[in-house]
Each structure stands twice: as structure tokens, then as C-alpha cells.
Amino acid sequence: MKIKWTTKRTLITVALLVGVLWLYAMGSEKRAEEGKDGGTSSNGSQCRVEAVVDGLNVRSAPTVAPNNVVGEMNRGDQSDADKTVEQGFRKLAEDRWVSAEFVRAVSGDC
């Protein structure tokens, strides 16, 4: 099948290629941004931490409150973590924080 390349077809093809390249560039930029901020997705910018005590509370916010405990880690338990540390708490994921004092980095860029 032979396609006759008219001006209209050429312009449409060029516009489509430019659009695809633009979308690819925007996605690359977003992935690079998430890498700088330590996004919560599984990417190379995250780190892995290990609990150094038993009964380490996992909290929904970086504060101590009796109603924000959402889980628990025991000595040796590991988790992916974010680079973010606020008020002495390390962010593990969205709405999951632990006391930075009681975890140690085991891999990645913490």
C-alpha cells in the first residue's frame, strides 16, 4: 500500500509526532521531579529502613497522639521509606510515619 503524502497528511503526522514527544518529555520531567522529592512510588530515590526496637508505632502523621497509630514494626522489620523527615519522624509512605530515632537505613539514599 502506497500513501500519497499531501501537505495536509504531512502536517498531521508532524503534529502527532510533536505531541507524542511532548508527552514523553513531560513524563520524564515528572519522574525526575519525583526522584528529587523522594516520591512514594518504587523508584531509585527511596531508601529502605529497619526497625531497631520492638513495638515501633507506625503513625498516620508525624506527631505523637493516641489516635494516630495505624500499625507496628518489630526489631528487624524493614520498609521502604521516603527521604522526608519531619519533627523527628521519617515518612514511610502516605499517612505512614515512624520515629526516625528507632529506624536505621539499610539501603538507598536516606
Side-chain angles (χ1 to χ4, degrees):
M1 178 163 118
K2 192 168 185 166
I3 297 175
K4 183 177 178 187
W5 286 99
T6 63
T7 303
K8 185 176 178 181
R9 282 191 177 147
T10 303
L11 288 174
I12 290 171
T13 302
V14 168
L16 286 171
L17 286 172
V18 167
V20 168
L21 290 173
W22 180 77
L23 288 172
Y24 178 78
M26 295 303 291
S28 296
E29 199 172 285
K30 184 175 180 181
R31 286 188 300 276
E33 233 174 73
E34 287 173 352
K36 280 191 285 189
D37 297 339
T40 58
S41 62
S42 297
N43 60 36
S45 68
Q46 286 191 326
C47 66
R48 190 136 180 97
V49 295
E50 178 180 71
V52 296
V53 296
D54 284 324
L56 176 60
N57 287 328
V58 179
R59 299 182 178 275
S60 61
T63 58
V64 175
N67 61 347
N68 73 351
V69 176
V70 295
E72 186 176 281
M73 292 177 72
N74 289 311
R75 182 185 307 266
D77 288 350
Q78 293 188 6
S79 174
D80 288 333
D82 209 64
K83 291 184 196 181
T84 306
V85 176
E86 289 182 20
Q87 302 173 44
F89 288 85
R90 177 165 303 274
K91 184 176 183 178
L92 300 180
E94 198 62 37
D95 298 326
R96 294 185 60 81
W97 298 79
V98 293
S99 176
E101 181 181 352
F102 301 111
V103 292
R104 69 176 182 88
V106 292
S107 67
D109 182 21
C110 291

XYZ file of all heavy atoms in Angstrom:
833
model
N 0.845 -1.172 0.000
C 0.000 0.000 0.000
C 0.887 1.230 0.000
O 1.760 1.379 0.847
C -0.897 -0.027 1.242
C -1.773 1.156 1.352
S -3.106 0.813 2.502
C -2.785 2.001 3.727
N 0.665 2.089 -0.931
C 1.456 3.302 -1.064
C 0.615 4.498 -0.629
O -0.529 4.648 -1.053
C 1.919 3.456 -2.505
C 2.951 4.511 -2.679
C 3.584 4.415 -4.051
C 4.688 5.440 -4.101
N 5.547 5.231 -5.203
N 1.178 5.343 0.235
C 0.456 6.511 0.742
C 0.958 7.748 0.016
O 2.172 7.970 -0.086
C 0.670 6.677 2.257
C 0.097 5.476 2.996
C 0.036 7.964 2.758
C 0.359 5.490 4.476
N 0.044 8.539 -0.483
C 0.409 9.791 -1.131
C 0.535 10.855 -0.038
O -0.409 11.127 0.704
C -0.672 10.190 -2.135
C -0.314 11.428 -2.890
C -1.375 11.750 -3.923
C -0.979 13.045 -4.625
N -2.038 13.492 -5.508
N 1.735 11.415 0.092
C 1.989 12.385 1.146
C 1.607 13.782 0.695
O 2.368 14.495 0.069
C 3.466 12.353 1.569
C 3.767 11.150 2.381
C 4.326 10.000 1.964
C 3.451 10.961 3.760
N 4.403 9.089 2.981
C 3.868 9.660 4.114
C 2.850 11.748 4.733
C 3.704 9.136 5.392
C 2.707 11.237 6.001
C 3.131 9.943 6.320
N 0.407 14.173 1.062
C -0.050 15.528 0.767
C 0.426 16.439 1.888
O 0.884 15.988 2.944
C -1.587 15.581 0.688
O -2.114 15.233 1.971
C -2.124 14.635 -0.377
N 0.315 17.712 1.674
C 0.704 18.686 2.699
C -0.103 18.473 3.977
O 0.437 18.526 5.081
C 0.494 20.122 2.173
O 1.234 20.282 0.969
C 0.944 21.156 3.180
N -1.375 18.206 3.819
C -2.248 18.004 4.979
C -1.800 16.779 5.783
O -1.700 16.829 7.013
C -3.690 17.831 4.504
C -4.705 17.736 5.607
C -6.110 17.664 5.030
C -7.145 17.522 6.115
N -8.502 17.436 5.562
N -1.534 15.661 5.123
C -1.081 14.454 5.815
C 0.271 14.674 6.488
O 0.512 14.186 7.595
C -0.991 13.277 4.850
C -2.317 12.679 4.537
C -2.175 11.383 3.797
N -3.493 10.813 3.588
C -3.841 10.105 2.556
N -2.968 9.841 1.609
N -5.056 9.635 2.455
N 1.141 15.384 5.842
C 2.460 15.671 6.411
C 2.320 16.503 7.680
O 2.954 16.214 8.706
C 3.346 16.404 5.384
O 3.451 15.599 4.201
C 4.730 16.669 5.945
N 1.489 17.547 7.646
C 1.284 18.396 8.827
C 0.661 17.612 9.981
O 1.061 17.780 11.141
C 0.418 19.606 8.477
C 1.089 20.668 7.612
C 0.083 21.748 7.221
C 2.276 21.283 8.336
N -0.307 16.764 9.670
C -0.938 15.952 10.718
C 0.084 15.000 11.335
O 0.154 14.856 12.558
C -2.155 15.183 10.149
C -3.279 16.167 9.826
C -2.628 14.115 11.124
C -4.433 15.561 9.059
N 0.898 14.375 10.517
C 1.922 13.450 11.012
C 2.938 14.177 11.890
O 3.293 13.696 12.968
C 2.642 12.763 9.826
O 1.669 12.087 9.034
C 3.684 11.781 10.314
N 3.386 15.340 11.457
C 4.345 16.124 12.240
C 3.716 16.549 13.568
O 4.347 16.457 14.628
C 4.845 17.346 11.434
C 5.601 18.319 12.312
C 5.709 16.891 10.265
N 2.461 16.991 13.528
C 1.778 17.411 14.762
C 1.653 16.247 15.738
O 1.867 16.405 16.950
C 0.404 17.995 14.440
N 1.314 15.064 15.244
C 1.217 13.888 16.106
C 2.563 13.536 16.723
O 2.657 13.221 17.914
C 0.651 12.698 15.337
C -0.839 12.756 15.032
C -1.232 11.625 14.079
C -1.643 12.674 16.308
N 3.613 13.573 15.931
C 4.953 13.268 16.453
C 5.381 14.278 17.517
O 5.935 13.906 18.550
C 5.975 13.225 15.320
C 5.919 11.992 14.430
C 6.840 12.155 13.234
C 6.276 10.749 15.223
N 5.115 15.550 17.267
C 5.458 16.588 18.247
C 4.670 16.354 19.540
O 5.211 16.460 20.647
C 5.193 17.996 17.671
C 5.246 19.063 18.755
C 6.202 18.310 16.573
N 3.394 16.013 19.419
C 2.573 15.746 20.601
C 3.091 14.572 21.409
O 3.170 14.626 22.637
N 3.452 13.495 20.743
C 3.981 12.316 21.433
C 5.298 12.654 22.127
O 5.520 12.285 23.286
C 4.162 11.138 20.445
C 4.978 10.022 21.057
C 2.803 10.619 19.992
N 6.177 13.362 21.440
C 7.460 13.753 22.053
C 7.242 14.680 23.253
O 7.933 14.566 24.269
C 8.363 14.416 21.014
C 8.915 13.483 19.945
C 9.647 14.287 18.873
C 9.827 12.434 20.555
N 6.275 15.591 23.144
C 5.989 16.497 24.251
C 5.484 15.711 25.465
O 5.912 15.953 26.600
C 4.955 17.535 23.809
C 4.598 18.506 24.892
C 5.335 19.565 25.322
C 3.420 18.481 25.697
N 4.678 20.205 26.347
C 3.501 19.555 26.601
C 2.306 17.660 25.735
C 2.513 19.826 27.526
C 1.324 17.942 26.659
C 1.426 19.009 27.534
N 4.565 14.754 25.241
C 4.068 13.931 26.348
C 5.189 13.121 26.992
O 5.256 12.994 28.215
C 2.956 12.995 25.860
C 1.618 13.660 25.544
C 0.683 12.656 24.895
C 1.006 14.243 26.792
N 6.070 12.585 26.176
C 7.204 11.827 26.715
C 8.100 12.727 27.569
O 8.516 12.349 28.665
C 8.019 11.206 25.574
C 9.220 10.453 26.065
C 9.080 9.179 26.597
C 10.487 11.015 26.031
C 10.167 8.486 27.079
C 11.576 10.334 26.509
C 11.417 9.066 27.030
O 12.504 8.395 27.513
N 8.372 13.926 27.081
C 9.224 14.856 27.830
C 8.578 15.248 29.155
O 9.249 15.336 30.185
C 9.510 16.100 26.994
N 7.268 15.477 29.152
C 6.578 15.843 30.391
C 6.623 14.699 31.394
O 6.805 14.915 32.589
C 5.129 16.243 30.103
C 4.992 17.498 29.261
S 5.816 18.936 29.968
C 4.783 19.223 31.372
N 6.467 13.481 30.930
C 6.552 12.326 31.818
C 7.941 12.162 32.400
O 8.111 11.859 33.575
N 8.965 12.390 31.587
C 10.349 12.291 32.069
C 10.623 13.348 33.120
O 11.273 13.086 34.123
C 11.328 12.475 30.907
O 11.190 11.433 29.984
N 10.101 14.548 32.881
C 10.292 15.637 33.833
C 9.625 15.307 35.168
O 10.188 15.527 36.239
C 9.674 16.909 33.238
C 10.147 18.189 33.852
C 9.619 19.367 33.053
O 10.151 19.629 31.955
O 8.675 20.017 33.548
N 8.426 14.737 35.109
C 7.708 14.382 36.338
C 8.451 13.279 37.092
O 8.576 13.324 38.308
C 6.285 13.931 36.009
C 5.476 13.639 37.238
C 4.049 13.313 36.916
C 3.316 13.045 38.219
N 1.936 12.696 37.999
N 8.954 12.277 36.371
C 9.702 11.204 37.027
C 10.962 11.752 37.685
O 11.315 11.357 38.788
C 10.059 10.105 36.019
C 8.867 9.238 35.638
C 9.285 8.047 34.799
N 9.922 8.415 33.549
C 9.285 8.720 32.422
N 7.978 8.734 32.387
N 9.957 9.019 31.332
N 11.642 12.686 37.037
C 12.845 13.285 37.619
C 12.489 14.086 38.866
O 13.202 14.055 39.865
C 13.536 14.174 36.599
N 11.357 14.816 38.830
C 10.909 15.582 39.986
C 10.596 14.677 41.167
O 10.968 14.951 42.292
C 9.644 16.353 39.602
C 9.717 17.813 39.892
C 8.495 18.520 39.348
O 7.406 18.356 39.936
O 8.634 19.229 38.350
N 9.913 13.570 40.912
C 9.587 12.630 41.980
C 10.850 12.047 42.573
O 10.930 11.810 43.766
C 8.691 11.512 41.447
C 7.280 11.966 41.174
C 6.444 10.898 40.485
O 6.997 9.858 40.091
O 5.234 11.121 40.340
N 11.848 11.844 41.759
C 13.123 11.319 42.248
C 13.799 12.283 43.201
O 14.378 11.892 44.195
N 13.710 13.604 42.925
C 14.306 14.605 43.804
C 13.579 14.682 45.132
O 14.176 14.878 46.168
C 14.254 15.981 43.147
C 15.314 16.221 42.128
C 15.346 17.666 41.729
C 14.180 17.964 40.827
N 14.187 19.256 40.191
N 12.260 14.547 45.105
C 11.464 14.700 46.310
C 11.320 13.414 47.099
O 10.728 13.401 48.164
C 10.057 15.205 45.957
C 10.100 16.575 45.320
O 11.106 17.275 45.516
O 9.140 16.944 44.622
N 11.808 12.323 46.554
C 11.631 11.057 47.254
C 10.195 10.615 47.240
O 9.629 10.323 48.275
N 9.642 10.533 46.083
C 8.264 10.133 45.923
C 7.991 8.789 46.529
O 8.877 8.052 46.880
N 6.719 8.448 46.661
C 6.365 7.216 47.324
C 6.292 6.021 46.406
O 6.028 4.932 46.863
C 5.031 7.379 48.040
O 4.065 7.755 47.087
C 5.142 8.369 49.160
N 6.442 6.211 45.164
C 6.457 5.076 44.291
C 7.773 4.382 44.372
O 8.742 4.899 44.922
C 6.184 5.487 42.857
O 7.241 6.360 42.462
N 7.859 3.157 43.870
C 9.096 2.396 43.924
C 10.069 2.931 42.914
O 10.031 2.580 41.757
C 8.846 0.918 43.645
O 8.022 0.401 44.636
N 10.934 3.796 43.325
C 11.963 4.297 42.429
C 13.286 4.357 43.156
O 13.365 4.148 44.346
C 11.568 5.669 41.852
C 11.373 6.723 42.914
O 12.091 6.741 43.911
N 10.423 7.592 42.733
N 14.352 4.657 42.441
C 15.690 4.619 42.987
C 15.973 5.673 44.040
O 16.984 5.613 44.712
N 15.097 6.668 44.184
C 15.369 7.738 45.135
C 14.945 7.362 46.549
O 15.241 8.051 47.485
C 14.652 9.010 44.708
O 13.263 8.828 44.830
N 14.216 6.284 46.705
C 13.773 5.879 48.024
C 14.881 5.138 48.750
O 15.876 4.741 48.175
C 12.552 4.981 47.922
C 11.300 5.728 47.572
C 10.085 4.854 47.732
O 10.150 3.669 47.486
N 8.991 5.433 48.146
N 14.648 4.936 50.012
C 15.585 4.153 50.803
C 14.819 3.051 51.521
O 13.588 2.988 51.456
C 16.313 5.050 51.805
S 15.276 5.766 53.082
N 15.534 2.215 52.178
C 14.919 1.128 52.949
C 15.414 1.281 54.376
O 16.598 1.505 54.612
C 15.334 -0.209 52.352
C 14.576 -1.372 52.914
C 14.154 -2.311 51.788
N 13.422 -3.441 52.316
C 12.111 -3.504 52.341
N 11.400 -2.526 51.843
N 11.494 -4.546 52.842
N 14.497 1.172 55.338
C 14.856 1.306 56.745
C 14.468 0.047 57.493
O 13.628 -0.727 57.042
C 14.189 2.539 57.401
C 14.699 3.827 56.799
C 12.677 2.459 57.325
N 15.100 -0.119 58.659
C 14.846 -1.279 59.513
C 14.585 -0.787 60.925
O 15.295 0.087 61.427
C 16.071 -2.190 59.486
C 15.969 -3.408 60.369
C 17.229 -4.258 60.268
O 18.277 -3.822 60.786
O 17.153 -5.335 59.673
N 13.574 -1.353 61.566
C 13.264 -1.009 62.951
C 14.355 -1.583 63.860
O 14.808 -2.700 63.665
C 11.906 -1.569 63.350
N 14.773 -0.793 64.851
C 15.812 -1.253 65.783
C 15.232 -1.565 67.159
O 15.982 -1.876 68.085
C 16.975 -0.225 65.889
C 17.680 -0.085 64.551
C 16.480 1.124 66.386
N 13.907 -1.479 67.299
C 13.229 -1.814 68.551
C 11.967 -2.609 68.238
O 11.458 -2.569 67.118
C 12.833 -0.548 69.358
C 14.047 0.228 69.800
C 11.894 0.336 68.565
N 11.467 -3.320 69.216
C 10.176 -3.994 69.082
C 9.060 -3.016 69.426
O 9.223 -2.138 70.283
C 10.094 -5.197 70.036
C 10.887 -6.388 69.538
O 10.916 -6.605 68.305
O 11.478 -7.100 70.367
N 7.918 -3.164 68.778
C 6.748 -2.347 69.105
C 6.836 -0.911 68.635
O 6.246 -0.025 69.260
N 7.542 -0.659 67.532
C 7.643 0.700 66.992
C 6.318 1.073 66.331
O 5.866 0.417 65.396
C 8.791 0.779 65.973
C 8.974 2.102 65.238
C 9.254 3.246 66.221
C 10.097 1.982 64.219
N 5.683 2.124 66.845
C 4.388 2.555 66.306
C 4.554 3.208 64.939
O 5.423 4.052 64.740
C 3.706 3.549 67.245
C 3.165 2.878 68.481
O 2.757 1.725 68.451
N 3.148 3.613 69.591
N 3.709 2.804 64.002
C 3.597 3.466 62.704
C 2.397 4.394 62.830
O 1.309 3.966 63.224
C 3.381 2.445 61.569
C 3.235 3.155 60.237
C 4.523 1.435 61.520
N 2.601 5.669 62.543
C 1.572 6.680 62.779
C 1.076 7.294 61.470
O 1.782 7.281 60.468
C 2.116 7.772 63.692
C 2.526 7.206 65.051
C 3.026 8.284 65.998
N 3.369 7.714 67.289
C 2.500 7.497 68.265
N 1.238 7.815 68.104
N 2.893 6.980 69.409
N -0.122 7.836 61.498
C -0.719 8.445 60.310
C -0.208 9.863 60.068
O -0.435 10.422 58.998
C -2.241 8.468 60.430
O -2.635 9.239 61.557
N 0.475 10.437 61.036
C 1.007 11.795 60.912
C 2.285 11.883 61.743
O 2.489 11.083 62.660
C -0.020 12.810 61.406
N 3.139 12.857 61.451
C 4.403 12.979 62.190
C 4.239 13.644 63.557
O 4.908 14.619 63.887
C 5.270 13.811 61.248
C 4.306 14.653 60.490
C 3.083 13.794 60.328
N 3.311 13.125 64.357
C 3.088 13.617 65.719
C 2.709 12.442 66.611
O 2.224 11.418 66.141
C 1.920 14.634 65.771
O 0.734 14.012 65.278
C 2.210 15.878 64.960
N 2.921 12.614 67.903
C 2.521 11.581 68.866
C 1.119 11.905 69.355
O 0.880 12.951 69.948
C 3.507 11.526 70.063
C 3.023 10.542 71.106
C 4.901 11.158 69.584
N 0.206 11.001 69.045
C -1.183 11.113 69.504
C -1.724 9.695 69.622
O -1.401 8.840 68.798
C -2.014 11.935 68.519
N -2.536 9.427 70.638
C -3.022 8.060 70.835
C -3.910 7.554 69.705
O -4.003 6.357 69.474
C -3.804 8.130 72.145
C -4.069 9.569 72.392
C -3.020 10.346 71.660
N -4.541 8.451 68.973
C -5.468 8.021 67.927
C -4.857 7.993 66.523
O -5.573 7.822 65.550
C -6.708 8.908 67.920
C -6.374 10.358 67.633
O -5.217 10.761 67.678
N -7.382 11.155 67.355
N -3.523 8.173 66.397
C -2.949 8.149 65.057
C -2.037 6.937 64.802
O -1.302 6.906 63.826
C -2.225 9.460 64.723
C -0.901 9.641 65.453
O -0.560 8.884 66.346
N -0.153 10.657 65.055
N -2.092 5.922 65.654
C -1.307 4.701 65.445
C -2.055 3.839 64.429
O -3.214 3.487 64.625
C -1.094 3.929 66.771
C -0.361 2.620 66.521
C -0.317 4.796 67.755
N -1.363 3.517 63.310
C -2.001 2.724 62.242
C -1.320 1.375 62.034
O -1.755 0.591 61.204
C -2.020 3.510 60.905
C -2.889 4.745 61.023
C -0.622 3.869 60.453
N -0.259 1.113 62.787
C 0.438 -0.156 62.640
C 1.612 -0.233 63.591
O 1.797 0.641 64.452
N 2.395 -1.288 63.433
C 3.517 -1.514 64.335
C 4.622 -2.256 63.581
O 4.349 -3.075 62.716
C 3.039 -2.343 65.522
C 4.062 -2.538 66.605
C 3.482 -3.278 67.797
O 2.789 -2.637 68.600
O 3.730 -4.496 67.888
N 5.860 -1.936 63.921
C 7.018 -2.650 63.385
C 7.781 -3.254 64.560
O 7.804 -2.674 65.650
C 7.950 -1.695 62.615
C 7.365 -1.145 61.338
S 8.470 0.042 60.507
C 9.742 -1.043 59.869
N 8.389 -4.401 64.338
C 9.233 -5.024 65.348
C 10.688 -4.993 64.898
O 10.981 -4.783 63.714
C 8.782 -6.466 65.603
C 7.459 -6.499 66.338
O 7.291 -5.820 67.351
N 6.509 -7.258 65.829
N 11.592 -5.202 65.835
C 13.022 -5.177 65.543
C 13.310 -6.076 64.332
O 12.865 -7.211 64.269
C 13.825 -5.682 66.743
C 15.334 -5.646 66.537
C 16.077 -6.281 67.703
N 15.677 -5.708 68.981
C 16.322 -4.698 69.585
N 17.385 -4.182 69.047
N 15.881 -4.248 70.751
N 14.014 -5.523 63.350
C 14.374 -6.267 62.152
C 13.390 -6.116 61.008
O 13.715 -6.430 59.866
N 12.166 -5.630 61.280
C 11.203 -5.393 60.197
C 11.736 -4.285 59.302
O 12.250 -3.270 59.784
C 9.831 -4.970 60.738
C 9.076 -6.101 61.406
O 9.522 -7.267 61.302
O 8.041 -5.812 62.042
N 11.610 -4.476 57.999
C 12.080 -3.472 57.047
C 10.920 -2.887 56.266
O 9.885 -3.519 56.105
C 13.103 -4.082 56.086
C 14.390 -4.478 56.761
C 15.453 -4.911 55.762
O 15.282 -4.823 54.550
N 16.565 -5.382 56.282
N 11.131 -1.671 55.770
C 10.113 -0.981 54.990
C 10.786 -0.014 54.030
O 11.852 0.526 54.332
C 9.183 -0.201 55.916
O 8.268 0.577 55.168
N 10.149 0.211 52.872
C 10.580 1.299 52.011
C 10.296 2.590 52.756
O 9.357 2.664 53.552
C 9.806 1.293 50.696
C 10.211 0.135 49.791
O 11.364 -0.336 49.904
O 9.385 -0.301 48.978
N 11.111 3.599 52.524
C 10.921 4.873 53.208
C 11.216 6.017 52.263
O 11.849 5.854 51.227
C 11.826 4.954 54.434
N 10.765 7.161 52.646
C 10.967 8.400 51.922
C 12.160 9.110 52.543
O 12.526 8.832 53.684
C 9.689 9.229 52.112
C 9.412 10.153 50.969
O 9.174 9.672 49.859
O 9.409 11.365 51.220
N 12.730 10.059 51.852
C 13.807 10.866 52.429
C 13.269 11.868 53.442
O 14.017 12.409 54.231
C 14.525 11.642 51.325
C 15.334 10.810 50.390
C 16.046 11.725 49.427
C 16.575 10.999 48.241
N 17.284 11.913 47.334
N 11.970 12.110 53.427
C 11.350 13.137 54.253
C 11.405 12.793 55.739
O 11.000 11.709 56.153
C 9.879 13.328 53.843
O 9.820 13.585 52.451
C 9.230 14.458 54.614
N 11.924 13.740 56.530
C 11.910 13.637 57.988
C 11.319 14.935 58.514
O 11.798 16.019 58.192
C 13.323 13.417 58.565
C 13.286 13.404 60.087
C 13.938 12.130 58.034
N 10.240 14.827 59.294
C 9.580 15.990 59.886
C 9.385 15.758 61.369
O 8.885 14.706 61.770
C 8.195 16.229 59.256
C 8.227 16.740 57.847
C 6.827 16.990 57.301
O 5.865 17.125 58.099
O 6.692 17.035 56.081
N 9.765 16.735 62.175
C 9.555 16.694 63.618
C 10.050 15.385 64.233
O 9.449 14.843 65.155
C 8.063 16.888 63.929
C 7.500 18.182 63.395
C 6.004 18.260 63.581
O 5.477 17.930 64.640
N 5.299 18.701 62.558
N 11.155 14.840 63.690
C 11.728 13.618 64.236
C 11.089 12.335 63.731
O 11.395 11.257 64.224
N 10.206 12.429 62.743
C 9.543 11.260 62.167
C 9.951 11.082 60.707
O 9.984 12.057 59.960
C 8.018 11.396 62.250
C 7.473 11.249 63.642
C 7.420 12.333 64.496
C 7.033 10.020 64.094
C 6.915 12.207 65.781
C 6.526 9.883 65.380
C 6.481 10.975 66.227
N 10.231 9.841 60.313
C 10.534 9.524 58.919
C 9.280 9.044 58.232
O 8.538 8.222 58.747
C 11.606 8.445 58.804
C 11.861 8.082 57.326
C 13.104 7.313 57.075
N 14.321 7.937 57.530
C 15.030 8.829 56.813
N 14.614 9.207 55.635
N 16.147 9.301 57.292
N 9.049 9.556 57.033
C 7.882 9.171 56.239
C 8.172 7.854 55.532
O 9.162 7.723 54.826
C 7.562 10.257 55.218
C 6.320 10.002 54.420
C 6.026 11.175 53.500
C 4.729 10.958 52.754
N 4.414 12.108 51.893
N 7.305 6.867 55.757
C 7.430 5.587 55.067
C 6.618 5.615 53.777
O 7.060 5.115 52.743
C 6.925 4.442 55.949
C 7.636 4.245 57.283
C 7.017 3.077 58.034
C 9.124 4.030 57.076
N 5.424 6.148 53.850
C 4.500 6.245 52.717
C 3.448 7.274 53.093
O 3.502 7.853 54.189
C 3.859 4.885 52.445
N 2.481 7.473 52.206
C 1.406 8.412 52.510
C 0.685 7.960 53.777
O 0.273 6.805 53.894
C 0.425 8.468 51.334
C -0.460 9.682 51.349
C 0.304 10.996 51.233
O 1.305 11.061 50.489
O -0.107 11.950 51.904
N 0.592 8.840 54.772
C -0.074 8.568 56.052
C 0.586 7.434 56.837
O -0.085 6.705 57.569
C -1.565 8.262 55.842
C -2.319 9.434 55.223
O -1.953 10.584 55.525
O -3.260 9.202 54.445
N 1.903 7.281 56.709
C 2.640 6.260 57.472
C 3.985 6.858 57.885
O 4.840 7.092 57.035
C 2.837 4.987 56.650
C 1.502 4.278 56.359
C 1.655 2.965 55.652
N 2.435 1.973 56.378
C 1.977 1.198 57.362
N 0.729 1.306 57.760
N 2.751 0.309 57.939
N 4.158 7.087 59.179
C 5.346 7.723 59.736
C 5.846 6.908 60.926
O 5.054 6.323 61.655
C 5.010 9.133 60.229
C 4.543 10.069 59.162
C 3.295 10.121 58.608
C 5.306 11.087 58.532
N 3.239 11.122 57.671
C 4.456 11.726 57.601
C 6.621 11.521 58.658
C 4.892 12.780 56.801
C 7.047 12.578 57.866
C 6.194 13.194 56.949
N 7.171 6.906 61.135
C 7.766 6.276 62.313
C 8.799 7.221 62.911
O 9.343 8.074 62.213
C 8.448 4.918 61.990
C 7.431 3.880 61.575
C 9.527 5.068 60.943
N 9.077 7.048 64.177
C 10.100 7.851 64.832
C 11.457 7.546 64.189
O 11.886 6.399 64.146
C 10.143 7.532 66.320
O 11.202 8.253 66.928
N 12.114 8.574 63.676
C 13.396 8.395 62.993
C 14.468 7.866 63.945
O 15.437 7.240 63.506
C 13.841 9.724 62.385
N 14.288 8.086 65.220
C 15.242 7.635 66.237
C 15.316 6.110 66.313
O 16.339 5.553 66.703
C 14.817 8.215 67.584
C 15.705 7.853 68.741
C 15.208 8.449 70.053
O 14.260 9.262 70.049
O 15.781 8.075 71.096
N 14.248 5.431 65.930
C 14.168 3.997 66.119
C 14.210 3.187 64.824
O 13.822 2.021 64.800
C 12.917 3.641 66.917
C 12.899 4.295 68.266
C 11.996 5.292 68.551
C 13.817 3.924 69.242
C 12.000 5.911 69.801
C 13.820 4.533 70.477
C 12.911 5.532 70.772
N 14.681 3.807 63.737
C 14.917 3.083 62.485
C 16.324 3.441 61.996
O 16.851 4.495 62.324
C 13.884 3.426 61.386
C 12.506 2.910 61.738
C 13.846 4.902 61.068
N 16.898 2.510 61.222
C 18.203 2.795 60.612
C 18.109 2.470 59.139
O 17.369 1.561 58.727
C 19.312 1.990 61.270
C 19.265 0.505 61.021
C 20.478 -0.217 61.643
N 20.413 -1.634 61.346
C 20.905 -2.204 60.253
N 21.531 -1.467 59.360
N 20.789 -3.502 60.036
N 18.858 3.220 58.330
C 18.870 2.988 56.885
C 19.641 1.706 56.595
O 20.697 1.450 57.168
C 19.544 4.159 56.190
N 19.078 0.881 55.725
C 19.764 -0.343 55.317
C 20.133 -0.320 53.836
O 21.013 -1.070 53.416
C 18.950 -1.632 55.638
C 18.874 -1.841 57.130
C 17.577 -1.590 55.033
N 19.480 0.528 53.038
C 19.860 0.682 51.639
C 19.218 1.934 51.068
O 18.289 2.483 51.640
C 19.437 -0.539 50.819
O 18.038 -0.611 50.744
N 19.740 2.378 49.944
C 19.196 3.543 49.271
C 19.788 4.836 49.781
O 20.740 4.846 50.560
N 19.207 5.934 49.337
C 19.687 7.258 49.681
C 18.763 7.891 50.710
O 17.777 8.516 50.385
C 19.727 8.112 48.413
C 20.257 9.508 48.658
O 20.954 9.716 49.663
O 19.957 10.398 47.837
N 19.086 7.675 51.976
C 18.253 8.226 53.060
C 18.835 9.557 53.458
O 19.038 10.009 54.424
C 18.168 7.263 54.233
S 17.229 5.770 53.859
